[in-house]
Amino acid sequence: MRISENKIDEIRNAADIVDVVGGYVQLRKRGKNFIGSCPFHQEKTPSFTVSEDKQIYHCFGCGNGGNVFKFLMEFKNISFVEAVEEVADHLGIKIEREESPNDQQNELEVFYDINVLAARFFSEHLAKSNEAEEAREYLKHRGIKHQTQRSFGIGFAPFGWNHFLDHAKQNKVDLANAKHLGLIDTNERGEYYDKFRARIIFPIFSPNGRVIAFGGRILEKNDNIAKYLNSPESQIYSKRKSLYGLFHSKDEIRKLDRAILVEGYMDLISLFQAGVKNVVASSGTSLTDEQIQLLSRFTKNIFVLFDADSAGQKASLRSIELLLKQDFEVKVIALPKGEDPDSFINKFGKERFDEEVNRAVNFLEYQTAQFEELGLFEDPAEMTKAIRELVRTLALVNDELKRNLLMKTISKKFGLREKLIESELNTALSQNKTRVETQATKQAVRIESAATASQLNLAAKPVNENPNEKELVRLLFSGEEKILGYIFDNVAIESFANMNYMKLAELVHDGWNDGKYSPADLVEKIDSVELKNFVMKLTLTDESISKKWDDLSFTGKIEKDTFEHAVETVRSFQIFQIEEEIKRNNQIMSDSKDERLHIELLQRNRELQDDRKALLGLKSKNEFDW
Ligand SMILES: [Zn+2]
């Protein structure tokens, strides 16, 4: 039997872990938590802790812990499904029983079949229905031929609330499954309705050609409606792991041993139609590590195509960093101002496009040219910043020889002294090294027995770690929307020096994006035992860093002061970052006799001091947006 994801969420949200665990273990209240004697190991002093507000349990003696389902699975030695059923029974929630297919493959086939049904429905509408006239005009205007429309399965979702719904009913589709795939949804009254309405539909294929999701684009600009609507994550679709167009382009990518990365569906389709067939699209966001891994099965050479406008540039820069880390050879194609791939290929054709590809520069030259255009190399203070930025990217290249060659090219091309770049590079490299070593040490630590789990001090301080990182992670596991929003707005995940904290922050950020960021959701997603124990300890322990935090949590609801505590922690974090940079600059100055460098760094330090003062002033003003 299969229980839908939504149902599982519903059951877990309705359950009270204290109630369930309390049925088997004698619990008593201590502080904000409940404690009892651990049912999983022998102990004299109780160290088994259950948190009502976080809906998780953890034993500090043996390390056993998780959410309500995990407890029942462990305690009664039953399967996940059985645990869910038991909690549901207890709560009086009904689970609709579905036919049980023999294996998982069959189960997934049901989803693929529904998507194929939907794809056909949409494409037939595009071809035949009267209301699709506007959509056909749009595609014609964009120069997309019929043949291309067919090969990419482009379709149209009609206006109205129940066209696909009715079609699905006629075809005896299990509506819960269609909802899981995001084709339909339910309103407050529990009635189903079409999710994709009045949109051009782009099916998203897996690398071997199965329809795993859909992207829908509105026809006319409307500020009240999102331009793109995409299928949610499902059992057959993970956004992080899919690359749009790969099914169509993988052969050509293999053949040419290089891929061109663009942003949107239309960019990809236009290029493909014009004969540029080694192209993939990240679909609007920056690349993920998983997408890069997928691509690396076909090539390690990539040409990143920036839109000439700057909207996607930040995402593109982040993509480039990730590609470099995975040892990709990265080049940048910079189209003339005002052009995107789609408009360019339609105006100038394939030959001109190929010329642009041949003119592609390496990522550093591109970045340097950008800075030059902005005039950053004329002002000493700006120049320091620019070089630091360049060097940060350069330090990501693993190959030393390549790195040095790149460094020489840059210094020559822009008349920057090699020494200057070199000293910055060494600082950046030693920082990277510290990070890598810290991570390696921690990975080397293996849990010998469950009993040592709680002894592990994962929070051991590596060099340069910001002392506020731990508290930030703690706040990230608070499950409080406002606190998470504030932290993600003000702290870059990359700025965590401790790799484990960074990993945890990323995990919360992903959950945040999916709207699932309660501690009970999150702890289930941590795959390392060490990290899981660490988080449990951090969120449940009584000896917390901030006394204030505990006193507040004790009231059971978030108070103004708790948010202020988050603001305070972010502020301390930022101040520390600034002070570290000042120290680093002082170190560079004492190591170097370069006068110009001294002047630049002194100027930078003055700016940093100003920022620091401004942050310190924030405290007295106490202006919090509540
Ligand atoms: Zn225990």
Side-chain angles (χ1 to χ4, degrees):
M1 194 199 82
R2 204 192 137 256
I3 307 173
S4 77
E5 199 80 12
N6 288 340
K7 203 74 194 173
I8 293 170
D9 286 348
E10 181 194 333
I11 295 163
R12 198 187 44 224
N13 289 336
D16 177 11
I17 194 168
V18 176
D19 193 26
V20 174
V21 175
Y24 305 101
V25 180
Q26 200 183 347
L27 296 173
R28 58 199 166 79
K29 186 126 189 173
R30 185 201 275 171
K32 59 176 174 159
N33 297 322
F34 289 82
I35 59 157
S37 288
C38 180
F40 304 111
H41 85 288
Q42 291 284 334
E43 61 177 4
K44 285 189 189 111
T45 30
S47 52
F48 180 81
T49 309
V50 182
S51 162
E52 190 172 17
D53 54 340
K54 303 218 157 54
Q55 289 294 311
I56 49 181
Y57 77 97
H58 187 70
C59 172
F60 290 103
C62 68
N64 197 315
N67 62 22
V68 64
F69 301 138
K70 177 83 187 302
F71 175 81
L72 287 174
M73 287 162 72
E74 296 280 317
F75 187 79
K76 305 185 109 179
N77 206 9
I78 55 178
S79 72
F80 178 72
V81 172
E82 288 168 315
V84 175
E85 284 177 314
E86 172 155 350
V87 178
D89 276 352
H90 185 74
L91 292 165
I93 296 178
K94 262 213 163 129
I95 302 178
E96 299 103 47
R97 321 245 151 189
E98 292 168 11
E99 284 298 305
S100 95
N102 286 334
D103 56 18
Q104 231 221 326
Q105 197 52 43
N106 280 342
E107 189 182 314
L108 298 185
E109 289 304 325
V110 174
F111 291 123
Y112 291 126
D113 287 348
I114 297 173
N115 273 349
V116 168
L117 182 85
R120 286 210 183 106
F121 173 82
F122 294 137
S123 80
E124 259 164 46
H125 259 275
L126 177 66
K128 288 173 194 157
S129 94
N130 287 335
E131 343 170 33
E133 188 52 40
E134 207 183 331
R136 286 192 292 266
E137 270 306 308
Y138 171 84
L139 290 166
K140 195 174 158 194
H141 175 72
R142 298 291 295 258
I144 306 297
K145 295 176 188 139
H146 287 295
Q147 177 54 39
T148 312
Q149 291 176 24
R150 269 198 299 279
S151 96
F152 281 92
I154 300 174
F156 180 70
F159 301 83
W161 297 88
N162 53 7
H163 294 286
F164 176 71
L165 178 64
D166 290 344
H167 186 67
K169 281 180 185 163
Q170 277 163 27
N171 285 275
K172 307 223 164 16
V173 166
D174 182 332
L175 297 181
N177 285 339
K179 184 181 170 183
H180 173 71
L181 292 169
L183 289 161
I184 55 175
D185 207 346
T186 39
N187 62 20
E188 318 85 68
R189 296 188 296 281
E191 300 154 352
Y192 286 111
Y193 64 89
D194 285 354
K195 203 73 197 295
F196 292 97
R197 300 179 305 277
R199 283 172 189 271
I200 294 189
I201 301 290
F202 300 91
I204 298 167
F205 297 92
S206 71
N208 39 20
R210 321 264 340 226
V211 182
I212 51 177
F214 297 94
R217 185 194 192 285
I218 51 167
L219 275 174
E220 279 165 59
K221 192 171 150 34
N222 181 339
D223 289 335
N224 299 318
I225 306 173
K227 189 172 171 194
Y228 282 98
L229 174 72
N230 288 303
S231 301
E233 301 275 311
S234 71
Q235 288 206 27
I236 56 173
Y237 175 59
S238 161
K239 192 171 162 53
R240 297 182 66 83
K241 293 179 189 160
S242 322
L243 270 174
Y244 183 72
L246 188 61
F247 167 61
H248 291 82
S249 62
K250 62 180 180 185
D251 293 341
E252 189 82 352
I253 291 174
R254 258 206 204 102
K255 199 171 101 192
L256 300 176
D257 190 21
R258 64 189 198 192
I260 294 172
L261 174 72
V262 295
E263 270 176 40
Y265 306 127
M266 289 301 284
D267 292 333
L268 184 135
I269 292 169
S270 293
L271 287 179
F272 197 91
Q273 176 174 272
V276 182
K277 294 187 170 177
N278 57 328
V279 56
V280 288
S282 59
S283 317
T285 52
S286 65
L287 281 179
T288 64
D289 278 327
E290 290 92 336
Q291 287 172 326
I292 295 169
Q293 254 158 35
L294 175 62
L295 187 60
S296 73
R297 281 165 33 198
F298 304 93
T299 187
K300 281 258 184 182
N301 299 308
I302 192 159
F303 289 69
V304 179
L305 223 164
F306 281 88
D307 274 9
D309 75 62
S310 62
Q313 288 215 354
K314 213 173 163 190
S316 302
L317 282 175
R318 173 140 168 84
S319 300
I320 289 178
E321 286 183 11
L322 292 178
L323 285 160
L324 290 173
K325 280 188 198 157
Q326 292 205 32
D327 293 327
F328 266 74
E329 193 71 46
V330 184
K331 289 205 166 185
V332 179
I333 305 171
L335 292 177
K337 286 234 149 41
E339 302 289 350
D340 58 36
D342 180 29
S343 69
F344 186 90
I345 198 90
N346 284 323
K347 242 185 259 176
F348 304 111
K350 181 171 187 287
E351 243 167 70
R352 276 284 306 279
F353 185 82
D354 287 341
E355 281 169 30
E356 294 291 335
V357 174
N358 290 332
R359 267 209 295 276
V361 293
N362 75 49
F363 60 95
L364 269 186
E365 286 175 276
Y366 175 78
Q367 213 178 355
T368 314
Q370 292 261 277
F371 290 161
E372 198 190 28
E373 206 169 295
L374 292 168
L376 299 189
F377 295 118
E378 282 142 39
D379 174 348
E382 291 293 333
M383 175 155 143
T384 316
K385 263 193 243 167
I387 291 173
R388 190 166 286 141
E389 196 52 44
L390 287 175
V391 165
R392 210 175 59 82
T393 325
L394 182 58
L396 298 172
V397 177
N398 285 322
D399 187 329
E400 194 184 341
L401 191 66
K402 203 155 93 190
R403 208 166 52 217
N404 285 336
L405 278 172
L406 285 167
M407 189 175 79
K408 282 194 203 316
T409 326
I410 298 302
S411 81
K412 215 168 168 181
K413 187 160 184 186
F414 295 99
L416 304 171
R417 279 149 307 129
E418 226 171 274
K419 259 269 161 60
L420 188 74
I421 304 181
E422 210 177 325
S423 97
E424 275 291 330
L425 178 63
N426 288 334
T427 315
L429 284 174
S430 70
Q431 275 168 16
N432 284 0
K433 202 167 159 237
T434 312
R435 283 188 178 191
V436 173
E437 276 170 2
T438 311
Q439 194 181 22
T441 319
K442 281 172 189 159
Q443 277 170 349
V445 178
R446 284 276 160 268
I447 295 189
E448 298 299 334
S449 69
T452 59
S454 63
Q455 315 288 324
L456 261 181
N457 183 9
L458 277 156
K461 264 189 198 167
V463 188
N464 290 336
E465 182 185 316
N466 191 313
N468 301 289
E469 288 185 12
K470 187 173 174 181
E471 187 63 6
L472 278 182
V473 171
R474 182 179 154 82
L475 286 161
L476 285 176
F477 279 84
S478 65
E480 296 295 346
E481 188 183 352
K482 196 173 167 79
I483 288 180
L484 268 64
Y486 186 81
I487 293 175
F488 289 134
D489 279 350
N490 290 286
V491 176
I493 293 171
E494 297 84 9
S495 58
F496 281 86
N498 183 313
M499 290 303 281
N500 285 310
Y501 295 163
M502 198 201 295
K503 230 188 268 169
L504 291 170
E506 255 175 355
L507 185 113
V508 179
H509 192 256
D510 286 350
W512 169 249
N513 282 339
D514 297 341
K516 289 189 173 186
Y517 48 84
S518 78
D521 280 325
L522 295 169
V523 292
E524 287 302 299
K525 289 189 186 145
I526 306 174
D527 42 22
S528 131
V529 183
E530 291 100 324
L531 277 186
K532 201 164 176 173
N533 278 323
F534 168 74
V535 168
M536 292 294 194
K537 198 166 178 179
L538 193 62
T539 53
L540 293 182
T541 190
D542 279 339
E543 351 146 356
S544 70
I545 306 165
S546 159
K547 189 74 187 66
K548 195 172 161 196
W549 169 268
D550 263 354
D551 293 345
L552 293 163
S553 296
F554 183 70
T555 64
K557 56 177 192 280
I558 178 171
E559 299 287 349
K560 184 178 173 182
D561 285 353
T562 319
F563 180 65
E564 283 186 12
H565 172 65
V567 174
E568 197 56 23
T569 308
V570 167
R571 200 177 58 91
S572 307
F573 181 89
Q574 290 167 328
I575 292 172
F576 183 87
Q577 296 289 91
I578 290 174
E579 286 170 349
E580 279 296 295
E581 192 181 340
I582 293 174
K583 268 191 234 160
R584 275 201 307 275
N585 289 343
N586 289 340
Q587 184 61 44
I588 295 173
M589 284 190 278
S590 73
D591 290 348
S592 156
K593 291 200 171 67
D594 187 330
E595 235 174 77
R596 205 174 139 198
L597 179 64
H598 274 237
I599 295 170
E600 287 156 10
L601 291 176
L602 284 171
Q603 169 68 25
R604 172 69 184 153
N605 276 0
R606 266 196 295 277
E607 288 168 18
L608 289 168
Q609 292 289 7
D610 288 346
D611 291 348
R612 182 171 171 274
K613 258 184 229 153
L615 282 166
L616 287 169
L618 203 74
K619 189 183 189 180
S620 51
K621 273 187 249 144
N622 212 9
E623 287 173 346
F624 300 116
D625 158 44
W626 182 253

